[in-house]
Amino acid sequence: MAEAKLETLNLGVGYDGRLLIGDISLEVHPGEILTLIGPNGAGKSTVLKSIAGQLAPIRGTVLLCGEDMAAAGRMEIARLMSVLFTDRNRAELMTCLDVASAGRYPYTGRLGILDEKDRQIVRETLELVGGWDMRDRPFDAVSDGQRQRILLARALIQQPEVLLLDEPTSYLDIRYKLEFLTTLRKLVKERGLSVIMSMHELDLAMRMSDRVVCVAGDRIDRIGRPEECFDRSYLAKLFDMEPGSFDPCFDTLEYGPGPAGVPAFEHYVTSGGKRLRCGYTTGTCAALAASGAARRLLLGIWPDTVRLITPGGLPVETILEEKTEGKDFAACGVRKDGGDDIDHTSGALICVRVEKNDLGELRIEGGEGVGRVTKPGLDQPVGEAAINSVPRRMIAGAVEQIAELAGYAGGITVTVFVPDGGAIAEKTFNPALGIEGGISILGTSGIVEPMSSQALIDTIRLEIRQAAALGNRRLILTPGNYGLDFLRGRGLDALGIPVVKCSNFLGDAIDEAAEQGFLQILLVGHAGKLVKLAAGIMNTHSRQADCRTELFCAHAAICGADREVCERLMTAATSDACLDILKETGLDEPVMESLLAAIEVHLARRAGAECRIGAVLFSNQHGLLGTTQEAEKLLKQWR
């Protein structure tokens, strides 16, 4: 076998000097795919980031083409190794060609000017991955599958010998997964690439990999060929599942197969012509676990399964895991099932400890792995555990029901904890929001409804086209349910004007409405989303841009805010927290006027001269915040 292109020698990885996994000795050879598998939070991404140099290893050595990476220069490494980590694909105002061409930077010098050879390499690589036809399209406007192909092209354009990929198929549907992996496999064999990647799709990992590395949280548990690692009994142990719950031939993970044979949660939605399975939230998991632990503590029995009706009206039933008990407590966990909407918390174990107290009341607290609120403006006050209001009501209802059944009238303390919550939270937006130490326990309906970005856009466009086909030339757009509630509260839903929920895709919705000939558009939404319009940001998802505090700060400065106020605004956790500060300093009205004026400029530019468009901003805490001048005119005319 050819000499290893990348090798780790007794590598130790972790955060802030704390060792998570030690004694990692791996090697990958030309033409070989080495795949890391293991449960969420096990450390796969940490290992890859340490190999890539994004995290400093705690100990040990990484050899790249036989040389110690720690002694190599940045450009030297970039010419030998490419990295494709899917959480780093922000590229506003760049075409697909711009993004792909960035892969030539290690060869172009500081100015980044491509010569004819560079341009030829870019074109050939884009053609190879099927991305040349997309070259002039905005990178943010293509689908997840197309975006991933462009990112693969960028990595290959570096002409590396080693390629690192962290969950490269996480956001792709099955068609794009297969296209992406087929292209990758072909390139590995034809070009002799050495690939190390992490994957959650075990059936695809089994088919794609030459060797598999099993990561078990605090160690590398096994390294071997797929047939050696994809053994049912071993995988059940690695993923802490009941024996028989995984079929390696079909990647069948049956959530909840216990003594009673509880099947996966079977509720589906149709999105973009695809049938997608729903899941349930961390809040639902906590309430289910609380019910099970309360039954053991107060009734003396561990149920085979636990069941509840979610606030959305759908029943969820599953088994309990990690059941423990003592003289005065009982604890257990329920594993999060994200359905087809997989996120960082999918597969996490949400645990609850229930014990009696002498306070005569029900208390809900957060333990290990549950974040704590450090900034104002969130669902819970500063200092409280990040367990939102609806999950708290669900937990309380589940425990009170068991207490009533048992005839127990004393106090109860419920502590929610997530063993891997700290590691999972590092991959989320929690730290930026001021939630530290773990994940949030969330959920409003209790159910997770999956929907891809492109499917959402297609659905929004269809609704707008349908409204136009009925002869409407006036339209109300709102991002979501908060906007609908606001419309109902103000009687705007009774005007006979069609209302379309556009989620975060404000720009796409406006474009479609203008194309369909709508002459008047009113945008109604929470300030947390619509304030971004003041910067011309038309996709309000936080992954695209989260400049709310910066916008409040900039417009406050224009209106005379001093340095102290600006600093407070910049460190505020939410839009409501910014509004609190502005109201306290008497700047709320002039700042909103300034923001609304900027919003109107960007909306008018996006909608075009033929369409009148305005916006109404509100907050759940502060109510109506303001309307643009055009919105005032439209509302007066409509009424």
Side-chain angles (χ1 to χ4, degrees):
M1 181 177 287
E3 184 177 328
K5 287 294 181 181
L6 188 141
E7 186 175 4
T8 66
L9 305 176
N10 299 316
L11 188 68
V13 302
Y15 296 91
D16 300 323
R18 182 169 59 91
L19 183 69
L20 296 180
I21 306 175
D23 301 324
I24 304 170
S25 295
L26 310 173
E27 58 181 40
V28 60
H29 301 268
E32 182 181 35
I33 296 178
L34 184 70
T35 303
L36 279 61
I37 66 169
N40 283 337
K44 301 184 294 296
S45 296
T46 304
V47 172
L48 284 175
K49 288 178 180 179
S50 299
I51 292 173
Q54 294 182 3
L55 287 176
I58 292 177
R59 63 171 182 243
T61 305
V62 178
L63 299 178
L64 179 60
C65 296
E67 300 294 329
D68 188 347
M69 273 185 60
R74 180 181 173 188
M75 285 301 181
E76 182 183 353
I77 293 173
R79 290 171 181 167
L80 295 173
M81 181 170 69
S82 291
V83 177
L84 200 172
F85 286 177
T86 53
D87 58 351
R88 294 178 173 266
N89 56 1
R90 300 181 185 181
E92 288 191 25
L93 305 179
M94 294 179 70
T95 65
C96 292
L97 181 62
D98 294 333
V99 172
S101 298
R104 292 304 296 166
Y105 178 73
Y107 304 94
T108 58
R110 293 182 179 179
L111 297 179
I113 299 174
L114 274 63
D115 61 19
E116 186 58 36
K117 177 184 176 182
D118 294 320
R119 287 191 288 271
Q120 185 63 28
I121 291 171
V122 171
R123 175 165 186 156
E124 289 175 354
T125 308
L126 279 171
E127 288 176 342
L128 186 66
V129 302
W132 180 247
D133 292 340
M134 296 183 284
R135 62 190 181 278
D136 295 325
R137 295 179 62 186
F139 181 74
D140 286 339
V142 299
S143 71
D144 289 335
Q146 292 167 328
R147 187 177 296 127
Q148 201 72 333
R149 276 189 275 169
I150 298 301
L151 292 174
L152 176 61
R154 183 181 68 180
L156 295 172
I157 284 166
Q158 280 182 233
Q159 296 182 310
E161 297 189 36
V162 177
L163 183 59
L164 303 184
L165 305 99
D166 188 16
E167 299 180 20
T169 58
S170 290
Y171 305 119
L172 309 185
D173 63 28
I174 188 62
R175 171 194 166 190
Y176 286 125
K177 288 181 197 289
L178 294 174
E179 283 186 4
F180 179 86
L181 292 173
T182 299
T183 301
L184 177 64
R185 187 72 186 177
K186 178 182 177 183
L187 292 169
V188 168
K189 295 308 176 186
E190 288 182 354
R191 297 191 177 186
L193 280 174
S194 302
V195 174
I196 304 180
M197 66 178 179
S198 65
M199 289 190 73
H200 279 301
E201 301 91 335
L202 299 186
D203 62 328
L204 297 177
M206 180 172 63
R207 298 169 192 172
M208 288 291 299
S209 309
D210 294 292
R211 289 186 298 128
V212 176
V213 179
C214 303
V215 186
D218 59 350
R219 66 190 183 282
I220 301 299
D221 194 63
R222 180 181 291 190
I223 302 176
R225 299 188 62 78
E227 57 268 24
E228 298 169 337
C229 296
F230 285 87
D231 171 82
R232 291 190 185 205
S233 59
Y234 173 71
L235 288 174
K237 176 183 175 184
L238 178 66
F239 285 89
D240 193 21
M241 299 182 296
E242 293 287 339
S245 58
F246 174 73
D247 183 346
C249 294
F250 299 101
D251 193 19
T252 306
L253 283 171
E254 298 202 6
Y255 294 86
V262 180
F265 179 62
E266 295 288 342
H267 181 73
Y268 293 84
V269 295
T270 300
S271 172
K274 300 170 186 174
R275 189 168 181 258
L276 302 174
R277 188 173 71 85
C278 295
Y280 39 88
T281 63
T282 51
T284 295
C285 294
L288 287 163
S291 176
R295 285 178 183 273
R296 180 58 187 168
L297 179 67
L298 302 178
L299 297 176
I301 58 169
W302 281 116
D304 289 337
T305 65
V306 282
R307 186 177 188 272
L308 60 72
I309 304 297
T310 61
L314 294 175
V316 175
E317 183 176 7
T318 188
I319 62 165
L320 301 173
E321 299 182 34
E322 299 290 337
K323 294 180 284 190
T324 59
E325 58 186 291
K327 181 181 178 182
D328 299 310
F329 79 92
C332 60
V334 167
R335 199 163 295 279
K336 163 75 180 292
D337 176 4
D340 286 330
D341 190 23
I342 305 300
D343 65 10
H344 292 303
T345 64
S346 290
L349 193 64
I350 312 300
C351 300
V352 167
R353 175 186 171 107
V354 176
E355 54 194 322
K356 297 179 181 179
N357 67 44
D358 298 324
L359 303 174
E361 62 183 24
L362 176 63
R363 299 178 64 87
I364 299 174
E365 301 175 350
E368 175 194 4
V370 173
R372 197 153 293 274
V373 177
T374 65
K375 294 182 179 180
L378 298 174
D379 182 271
Q380 295 296 305
V382 172
E384 284 294 324
I387 306 172
N388 280 9
S389 301
V390 173
R392 286 177 182 270
R393 290 196 293 271
M394 294 172 67
I395 292 167
V399 173
E400 287 167 354
Q401 184 180 42
I402 303 303
E404 182 178 353
L405 187 64
Y408 176 75
I412 295 175
T413 298
V414 178
T415 303
V416 182
F417 61 100
V418 183
D420 296 323
I424 296 171
E426 293 174 355
K427 307 172 187 177
T428 71
F429 288 101
N430 274 13
L433 292 174
I435 299 173
E436 297 182 359
I439 66 170
S440 304
I441 305 300
L442 302 172
T444 51
S445 68
I447 299 300
V448 177
E449 288 194 5
M451 188 172 281
S452 71
S453 295
Q454 189 57 50
L456 259 174
I457 293 170
D458 292 343
T459 301
I460 293 163
R461 287 173 174 165
L462 176 61
E463 288 188 41
I464 293 172
R465 287 196 294 270
Q466 288 173 333
L470 294 173
N472 294 291
R473 289 298 174 262
R474 300 184 298 180
L475 181 68
I476 298 175
L477 297 174
T478 185
N481 291 329
Y482 287 152
L484 291 178
D485 291 341
F486 183 86
L487 288 169
R488 296 187 190 102
R490 300 277 168 160
L492 296 177
D493 61 327
L495 296 176
I497 299 171
V499 179
V500 174
K501 284 203 301 182
C502 60
S503 185
N504 293 298
F505 306 104
L506 308 183
D508 292 282
I510 293 169
D511 292 346
E512 186 66 30
E515 185 174 333
Q516 294 301 321
F518 281 92
L519 301 177
Q520 299 177 359
I521 303 172
L522 185 66
L523 197 56
V524 180
H526 191 283
K529 288 190 179 294
L530 296 200
V531 72
K532 298 178 185 180
L533 294 172
I537 294 165
M538 298 288 171
N539 182 332
T540 57
H541 196 291
S542 55
R543 277 201 303 254
Q544 300 295 324
D546 193 3
C547 57
R548 294 167 295 175
T549 57
E550 289 87 347
L551 283 166
F552 278 113
C553 177
H555 285 263
I558 291 172
C559 295
D562 60 23
R563 181 185 181 91
E564 180 186 354
V565 171
C566 289
E567 287 177 348
R568 290 176 63 195
L569 288 169
M570 283 295 290
T571 58
T574 65
S575 297
D576 280 318
C578 288
L579 291 166
D580 287 338
I581 296 168
L582 294 172
K583 194 172 185 65
E584 173 191 329
T585 55
L587 289 168
D588 50 331
E589 291 186 9
V591 169
M592 285 310 306
E593 288 179 8
S594 180
L595 285 166
L596 287 164
I599 288 170
E600 188 152 62
V601 169
H602 288 291
L603 286 178
R605 184 179 298 142
R606 186 67 178 245
E610 301 299 319
C611 182
R612 296 172 59 193
I613 185 169
V616 177
L617 273 68
F618 67 88
S619 155
N620 292 342
Q621 291 185 23
H622 298 272
L624 177 64
L625 298 172
T627 60
T628 64
Q629 292 183 9
E630 192 63 48
E632 289 180 4
K633 296 175 184 177
L634 290 176
L635 286 170
K636 184 177 180 180
Q637 178 184 338
W638 292 358
R639 283 170 169 157

